């Protein structure tokens, strides 16, 4: 049961998340947004992610939302009904709405992506959304290089230390070091990309003839039900918005 | 001018996108960590997110490079678990389109600094419009205007001039020799 | 099986003044197995790329013809397969089976025909894992084996291999040679192999073609040093994470300590620890006599002046845009810099961008930049990686000179010839840890 969502088609998941996100975007009502968050949280067990993994990926989201709330409460527009007071400041409804919205949008996003395998996503987009295979597979191949690039970045930073360059406490120096290391990374990444492209061409990629797929991508009832669930929740939220005002 | 993308165009654009998605991860954390700096002002660092949409066209020099590179960067950064979830895809699209215009308006024949600046500014404009509607609607009007202005300046400077300088430096290393952008340097 | 013919073939890459290959003539018959040998830069890779039809018309200038089965190579691409030297940039998909299937997908082969052929190709190279295995978890040798399967699955009539073992340790190279030998029994193809290490490749071929001058085989005498001087660095109870190896060692001036072992044993990790670049796990420690703090706590400028680290990939260390600026970095004395430039034969490249240098030149540059800070100790990670015999010999002579001048050297390598030539003392790391957790990926 916990991995059920993982096995659903990637496009279906993306679509469901997009519908939900669109519904949230249509309202700034904190009540509706809070309900949306509640629903999303209720769906978390289906993803098979542990609480620790969720916290690790999720804390920046919470932080962002808090910051937005604080800022708009302190310095934002003084419009809309007051929802409560915090530390002597009035919290207006729109301020709370925007802050909650950040979470409501962020949640389905990262949960969806945490349950999507990149290869499945590429296959699904090619099969169901008719994304040109050259681009989808090309992006997928480049994506595979990511762990190599992160290792390389680390090595490049260490190499700079070995050369006698470090940043100490100076933030500007830190930025310069990061920029210099990123440049080195880009050069290495592009070189790799060119070698990869050559190897792919040598194996017949992009020769102009239609490609087949070795992996099957089915879109069955359970996948459809994911989209349906997303659509239903989205509709429910919009309805709630109208009912609540 | 050849408009069909070669394999190497697709892969290198994807690699640039993916490399920047990794940079975004760090930059996102920086954005979040800058809580002490009030919101519109923090937007001075915004330009980094707009680089792929300008650097892509400068390197690949084919239609669609801005949109593709920026969108893939957004997609991959969402796959890494970006804070802003699917909203990032929408941002990526809008920013990419903005970047694309910077080169489309001269018919994809000119890839100079001017184009880069326009691309960066437009990408920033699109991004600001989106953000103000989705996330920061509760700001005061002055803050909204300030935010938009800062994002566009950041776009012009960091994404526009910055990408242009970056592409030139990359060309001098010889790594862009398979691309027209790299052949501008003297024979070695 | 294909015939191959070069008629007065020449190629110049766009943006270069010199021709990569010129006036080249060669004929290879059906089913021949040929070794293409010659010095670096002689153009062997270019020849293979031409045969594979990978030299796009807009990427350079061609003279003469290159024909496969009588037609220009570009038209025969479908029947040619090529394996390159870097395993990581040949693999496309994250699952092994998917990667082998990639070539068939591109050729529009029907799905029900794909998987049996994939299984057959994996068996032909003796691949031991199942299809769902993550490609990132394979060792270099296993990845190359997979790459060979990925090429063989399309049943090529012409098989090309461009230094397939250059990036691998001896164990990996052996794996690849065994896979090739096995596959060649069952495969009906003309084969052209480019390799530096001739002795290893001879069993696989019937014929050797040499480009440029004959390279004398590598004769590797041991160059003894002046004898050990004062202690420069001590390592105590250094645990190399995830491998189970623990190191206690002393590094002295005038002596070359060679660290050997298979990939995955933690050699690069040790190099980073000794170089003061990473922090040892407790209770291990690294310390230099006369210093209170361990190297990983030193300021970078102090570190560079005491312990120089030369990384496996020289490009990781490039910071500026000309060779001369690289050496001047950190406020070095211009006179010292000019001396170094001429000693390492980099003077005519002084104004070139470091990234445009050849592999051997980049290697010399990275050694030069470490030397510019005049450290007593030099730590080098796989310095002979991917070098041809001539540049190899130059490097070994240089390192021996540095040691004879009184510096301490720590050389991490799996190159047995280097160990024999310079190893005053040897440290062997045996255990290989869990691949998923380790740091070095060479």
């Amino acid at each position: 049961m916990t991995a059920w969502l993982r096995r659903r088609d990637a496009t279906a998941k993306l679509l469901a998340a997009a519908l939900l996100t669109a519904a949230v975007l249509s309202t700034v009502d904190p009540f509706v947004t809070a309900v949306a968050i509640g629903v999303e949280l209720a769906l978390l067990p289906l993803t098979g992610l542990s609480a620790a993994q969720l916290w690790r990926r999720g804390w920046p989201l919470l932080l962002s939302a808090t910051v937005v709330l604080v800022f708009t409460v302190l310095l934002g527009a003084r419009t809309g009904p007051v929802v409560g007071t915090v530390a002597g400041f009035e919290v207006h409804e729109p301020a709370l709405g925007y802050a909650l919205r950040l979470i409501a949008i962020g949640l389905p996003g990262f949960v969806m992506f945490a349950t999507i395998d990149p290869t499945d996503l590429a296959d699904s987009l090619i099969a169901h959304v008719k994304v040109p295979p050259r681009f989808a597979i090309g992006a997928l191949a480049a994506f595979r290089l990511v762990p190599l690039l992160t290792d390389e970045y680390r090595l490049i930073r260490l190499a700079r230390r070995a050369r006698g360059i470090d940043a100490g406490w100076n933030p500007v120096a830190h930025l310069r070091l990061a920029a210099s290391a990123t440049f080195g990374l880009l050069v290495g990444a592009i070189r790799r990309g060119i070698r990869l492209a050559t190897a792919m061409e040598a194996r017949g990629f992009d020769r102009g003839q239609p490609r087949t797929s070795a992996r099957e991508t089915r879109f069955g009832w359970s996948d459809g039900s994911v989209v349906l669930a997303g659509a239903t929740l989205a509709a429910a939220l919009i309805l709630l918005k109208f009912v609540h005002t | 001018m050849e408009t069909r993308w070669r394999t190497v165009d697709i892969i290198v654009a994807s690699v640039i996108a993916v490399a920047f998605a990794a940079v975004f991860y760090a930059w996102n954390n920086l954005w979040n960590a800058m809580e002490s700096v009030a919101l519109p002002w923090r937007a001075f660092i915004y330009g980094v997110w707009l680089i792929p949409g300008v650097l892509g066209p400068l390197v690949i020099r084919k239609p669609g490079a801005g949109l593709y590179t920026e969108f893939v960067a957004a997609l991959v950064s969402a796959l890494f678990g970006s804070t802003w979830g699917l909203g990032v895809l929408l941002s990526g699209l809008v920013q990419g389109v903005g970047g694309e215009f910077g080169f489309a308006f001269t018919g994809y024949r000119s890839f100079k600094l001017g184009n880069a600046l326009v691309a960066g500014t437009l990408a920033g404009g699109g991004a600001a419009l989106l953000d103000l509607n989705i996330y920061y609607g509760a700001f005061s009007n002055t803050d909204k205007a300030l935010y938009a202005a800062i994002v566009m300046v950041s776009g012009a400077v960091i994404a526009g001039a910055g990408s242009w300088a970056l592409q030139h430096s990359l060309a001098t290393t010889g790594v862009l020799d398979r691309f027209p952008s790299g052949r501008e340097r003297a024979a070695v | 099986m294909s015939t191959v013919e070069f008629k007065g073939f020449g190629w110049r890459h766009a943006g270069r003044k010199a021709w990569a290959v010129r006036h080249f003539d060669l004929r290879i018959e059906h089913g021949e197995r040929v070794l293409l040998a010659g010095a670096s830069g002689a153009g062997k890779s270019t020849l293979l790329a031409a045969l594979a039809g990978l030299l796009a018309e807009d990427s350079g200038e061609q003279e003469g013809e290159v024909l496969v089965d009588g037609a220009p190579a570009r038209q025969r691409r479908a029947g040619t397969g090529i394996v390159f030297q870097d395993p990581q940039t040949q693999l496309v998909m994250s699952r092994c089976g998917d990667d082998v299937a990639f070539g068939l997908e591109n050729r529009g082969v029907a799905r029900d025909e794909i998987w049996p052929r994939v299984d057959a190709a994996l068996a032909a190279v003796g691949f031991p894992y199942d299809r769902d295995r993550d490609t990132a978890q394979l060792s270099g040798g296993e990845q190359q084996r997979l790459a060979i399967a990925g090429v063989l699955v399309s049943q090529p009539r012409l098989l090309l291999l461009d230094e397939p073992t250059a990036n691998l340790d001896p164990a990996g190279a052996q794996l690849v040679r065994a896979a090739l030998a096995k596959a060649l029994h069952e495969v009906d193809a003309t084969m052209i192999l480019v390799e530096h290490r001739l002795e290893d490749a001879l069993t696989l071929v019937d014929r050797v073609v040499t480009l440029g001058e004959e390279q004398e085989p590598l004769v590797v005498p041991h160059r003894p040093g002046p004898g050990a001087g004062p202690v420069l660095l001590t390592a105590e109870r250094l645990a190399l994470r995830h491998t189970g190896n623990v190191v206690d060692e002393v590094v002295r001036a005038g002596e070359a300590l060679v660290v050997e072992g298979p990939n995955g044993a933690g050699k690069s990790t040790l190099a980073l620890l000794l170089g003061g670049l990473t922090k040892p796990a407790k209770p291990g420690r690294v310390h230099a006599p006369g210093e209170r703090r361990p190297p990983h706590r030193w300021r970078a400028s102090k570190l560079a002046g005491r312990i120089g680290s030369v990384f496996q990939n020289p490009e990781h260390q490039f910071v500026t845009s000309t060779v001369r600026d690289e050496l001047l970095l950190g406020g070095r004395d211009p006179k010292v810099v000019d001396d170094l430039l001429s000693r390492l034969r980099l003077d005519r490249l002084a104004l070139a961008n470091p990234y445009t240098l050849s592999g051997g030149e980049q290697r010399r540059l990275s050694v030069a930049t470490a030397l510019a800070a005049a450290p007593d100790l030099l730590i080098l990670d796989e310095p002979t990686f991917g070098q041809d015999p001539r540049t190899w010999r130059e490097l070994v002579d240089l390192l021996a000179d540095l040691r004879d001048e009184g510096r301490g050297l720590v050389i991490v390598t799996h190159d047995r010839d280097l160990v024999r030539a310079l190893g005053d003392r040897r440290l062997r790391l045996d255990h290989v840890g869990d691949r998923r957790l380790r740091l070095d990926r060479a």
Side-chain angles (χ1 to χ4, degrees):
Chain A
M1 183 55 174
T2 49
W4 182 83
L5 204 56
R6 219 174 260 279
R7 281 181 280 125
R8 293 308 109 220
D9 181 79
T11 310
K13 290 188 273 198
L14 214 50
L15 207 52
L19 288 170
L20 207 53
T21 307
V24 171
L25 280 176
S26 71
T27 173
V28 199
D29 183 343
F31 175 70
V32 179
T33 326
V35 168
I37 296 179
V39 166
E40 291 161 6
L41 289 174
L43 291 173
L44 284 181
L46 279 176
T47 64
L49 287 175
S50 72
Q53 285 171 307
L54 286 171
W55 176 250
R56 197 162 47 88
R57 281 184 159 197
W59 70 261
L61 190 58
L62 212 56
L63 180 63
S64 277
T66 317
V67 170
V68 171
L69 181 65
V70 165
F71 181 74
T72 49
V73 160
L74 291 180
L75 296 162
R78 301 257 185 274
T79 56
V82 176
V83 165
T85 43
V86 173
F89 286 96
E90 300 171 325
V91 179
H92 297 265
E93 191 178 297
L96 188 62
Y98 277 102
L100 286 178
R101 193 193 231 189
L102 202 65
I103 301 184
I105 296 177
L107 262 180
F110 91 59
V111 159
M112 283 303 135
F113 282 111
T115 62
I116 289 182
D117 169 74
T119 309
D120 292 341
L121 179 61
D123 285 338
S124 178
L125 289 176
I126 295 174
H128 304 307
V129 183
K130 301 288 179 257
V131 168
R134 300 195 303 148
F135 287 90
I137 304 284
L140 181 64
F143 183 71
R144 210 194 69 85
L145 291 178
V146 166
L148 288 175
L149 295 183
T150 42
D151 279 352
E152 195 146 302
Y153 185 77
R154 191 178 156 271
L155 273 178
I156 290 176
R157 288 293 296 255
L158 291 178
R160 272 161 178 66
R161 176 173 153 72
R163 294 286 313 269
I165 307 170
D166 60 9
W169 294 112
N170 183 347
V172 172
H174 259 289
L175 263 161
R176 283 184 58 190
L177 190 58
S180 159
T182 306
F183 181 77
L185 183 69
L186 264 178
V187 175
I190 293 177
R191 262 206 225 291
R192 282 207 176 154
I194 294 177
R195 282 206 293 264
L196 181 60
T198 309
M200 288 171 77
E201 268 194 359
R203 291 168 74 180
F205 188 70
D206 192 21
R207 226 163 259 174
Q209 72 205 49
R211 254 184 133 255
T212 49
S213 175
R215 294 163 298 280
E216 237 188 299
T217 30
R218 263 170 303 191
F219 199 93
W221 286 113
S222 43
D223 304 304
S225 71
V226 170
V227 183
L228 209 60
T232 317
L233 286 170
L237 282 175
I238 297 183
L239 211 62
L240 194 61
K241 172 181 93 161
F242 284 119
V243 164
H244 192 243
T245 46
Chain B
M1 183 203 54
E2 174 68 60
T3 54
R4 186 176 190 275
W5 286 48
R6 306 167 293 172
T7 307
V8 69
D9 293 323
I10 299 178
I11 304 295
V12 170
S14 309
V15 159
I16 293 176
V18 157
F20 273 96
V23 168
F24 290 173
Y25 192 78
W27 213 249
N28 288 349
N29 290 336
L30 179 62
W31 178 269
N32 289 325
M34 280 172 84
E35 347 163 4
S36 51
V37 180
L39 253 166
W41 302 104
R42 222 195 290 179
F44 270 116
I45 69 172
Y46 207 98
V48 170
W49 284 304
L50 307 171
I51 293 180
V54 183
L55 186 61
L58 285 175
V59 169
I60 310 290
R61 306 212 171 173
K62 290 194 171 140
L67 187 56
Y68 178 78
T69 315
E70 186 69 46
F71 184 69
V72 172
L75 182 62
V76 173
S77 91
L79 272 163
F80 288 158
S82 140
T83 322
W84 295 284
L86 282 177
V88 129
L89 290 184
L90 198 53
S91 298
L93 263 171
V94 170
Q95 291 160 4
V97 167
E100 197 68 40
F101 269 164
F103 302 94
F105 86 93
T106 50
Y108 296 105
R109 265 181 277 274
S110 163
F111 294 92
K112 302 207 195 56
L113 179 58
N115 294 87
L117 289 173
V118 170
T121 313
L122 286 177
L129 212 67
L130 201 68
D131 288 351
L132 289 175
N133 264 302
I134 299 183
Y135 304 114
Y136 306 135
F139 282 10
S140 64
N141 282 333
T142 29
D143 278 338
K144 281 188 186 179
L146 205 53
Y147 184 81
I150 296 178
V151 169
M152 288 201 283
V153 165
S154 182
V157 171
I158 300 181
S163 299
W164 184 84
L166 188 53
Q167 185 257 312
H168 267 261
S169 302
L170 284 173
T172 60
T173 65
V175 82
L176 296 181
D177 278 352
R178 294 285 307 271
F179 300 93
S181 48
R183 306 230 186 100
E184 284 165 355
R185 71 183 181 104
V188 158
Chain C
M1 299 192 284
S2 288
T3 56
V4 164
E5 200 164 353
F6 285 97
K7 289 187 184 162
F9 179 73
W11 180 265
R12 173 159 63 174
H13 291 289
R16 297 285 162 94
K17 284 194 202 130
W19 288 75
V21 180
R22 218 155 182 202
H23 310 310
F24 187 69
D25 293 289
L26 178 64
R27 190 184 161 83
I28 298 178
E29 303 296 339
H30 292 290
E32 276 199 87
R33 310 255 157 104
V34 176
L35 172 65
L36 202 55
S40 270
K44 308 188 293 296
S45 289
T46 309
L47 291 175
L48 287 193
L51 278 176
L54 292 173
L55 296 178
E57 273 139 355
D58 65 351
S59 69
E61 209 183 314
Q62 180 174 334
E63 270 181 356
E65 298 181 294
V66 49
L67 304 172
V68 175
D69 288 334
R74 285 194 195 102
Q75 291 169 17
R76 296 285 191 212
R77 277 168 66 171
T80 306
I82 178 165
V83 176
F84 297 98
Q85 78 184 60
D86 182 7
Q88 287 290 9
T89 51
Q90 285 183 95
L91 299 180
V92 177
M93 309 293 270
S94 7
R95 288 186 289 255
C96 292
D98 292 343
D99 193 81
V100 178
F102 181 71
L104 296 178
E105 288 175 328
N106 292 335
R107 289 170 166 91
V109 173
R111 184 180 298 149
D112 42 11
E113 208 191 311
I114 289 183
W115 292 111
R117 283 172 71 171
V118 167
D119 290 331
L122 288 174
V125 298
F127 194 74
Y129 305 110
D130 66 43
R131 288 190 215 149
D132 281 331
R133 182 124 177 143
D134 190 342
T135 51
Q137 282 175 24
L138 301 175
S139 73
E142 289 163 352
Q143 286 177 336
Q144 280 297 61
R145 228 177 4 171
L146 188 66
I148 294 173
V151 163
L152 289 177
V153 79
S154 310
Q155 289 155 354
R157 291 191 305 275
L158 175 60
L159 179 61
L160 306 170
L161 300 117
D162 192 353
E163 301 201 45
T165 61
N167 287 25
L168 306 177
D169 64 355
Q174 183 49 35
L175 209 60
V176 167
R177 279 191 292 271
L180 258 183
K182 182 174 195 301
L184 288 174
H185 277 308
E186 305 167 23
V187 152
D188 226 1
T190 311
M191 180 187 87
I192 305 182
L193 170 66
V194 169
E195 253 295 4
H196 278 318
R197 281 170 289 206
L198 300 180
E199 330 77 55
D200 297 332
L202 288 173
T203 50
L204 296 165
V205 302
D206 321 307
R207 178 179 163 197
V208 178
V209 171
T210 310
L211 259 73
E213 330 128 9
E214 276 283 336
Q215 297 249 286
E216 314 126 42
L218 208 50
V219 172
V220 194
H222 172 64
R223 271 185 64 166
V231 172
L232 295 172
L233 207 62
T234 314
E236 289 166 16
R237 285 171 299 165
L238 278 187
L240 302 176
R241 238 179 322 168
H242 312 305
T243 61
N245 291 311
V246 180
V247 172
D248 283 277
E249 261 303 338
V250 169
V251 182
R252 294 177 199 274
E255 189 177 67
L257 170 69
V258 172
V259 180
E260 354 164 46
N263 280 353
K267 307 194 298 296
S268 291
T269 312
L270 181 59
L272 291 176
L273 285 167
L274 291 177
L277 299 170
T278 50
K279 183 173 154 173
K282 290 193 165 46
R285 64 184 203 118
V286 175
H287 70 100
E291 291 289 339
R292 225 164 14 103
R293 300 165 121 212
H296 76 268
R297 300 282 304 276
W298 297 351
R299 290 304 315 262
S301 42
K302 173 174 178 170
L303 185 64
R306 295 282 299 268
I307 305 176
S309 287
V310 177
F311 281 49
Q312 200 174 110
N313 181 348
E315 287 190 345
H316 287 165
Q317 298 187 269
F318 295 159
V319 180
T320 64
S321 49
T322 67
V323 167
R324 195 151 192 281
D325 286 336
E326 282 292 324
L327 293 180
L328 286 169
L329 188 74
R332 312 284 171 227
D333 177 0
K335 188 150 186 328
V336 169
V337 163
D338 289 328
D339 276 338
L340 266 176
L341 280 173
S342 50
R343 179 177 186 182
L344 284 149
R345 300 190 300 110
L346 293 168
D347 25 10
R348 64 177 182 86
L349 294 166
L351 294 174
N353 187 300
Y355 289 100
T356 58
L357 268 45
S358 74
E361 291 162 350
Q362 283 186 344
R363 181 77 57 192
R364 293 207 301 276
L365 177 58
S366 66
V367 172
T369 53
L371 286 177
D376 298 317
L377 173 61
L378 260 189
I379 301 180
L380 304 110
D381 191 346
E382 299 286 359
T384 55
F385 193 72
Q387 305 281 294
D388 71 351
R390 189 184 63 181
T391 48
W392 191 98
R393 209 170 302 122
E394 275 174 5
L395 201 59
V396 167
D397 286 339
L398 172 64
L399 292 177
D401 289 340
L402 292 174
R403 177 205 51 194
D404 295 344
E405 284 164 13
R407 285 192 183 76
L409 294 180
V410 175
I411 303 176
V412 165
T413 187
H414 55 60
D415 180 344
R416 293 190 182 123
D417 294 322
L418 181 59
V419 174
R420 225 172 305 147
L422 280 181
D424 299 323
R425 273 187 328 116
R426 304 184 190 187
L427 169 62
R428 207 183 155 78
L429 301 176
D430 278 308
H431 302 121
V432 175
D434 184 339
R435 186 147 289 123
R436 268 163 292 193
L437 300 172
R438 66 184 170 85
L439 204 57
D440 59 301
R441 253 169 233 270

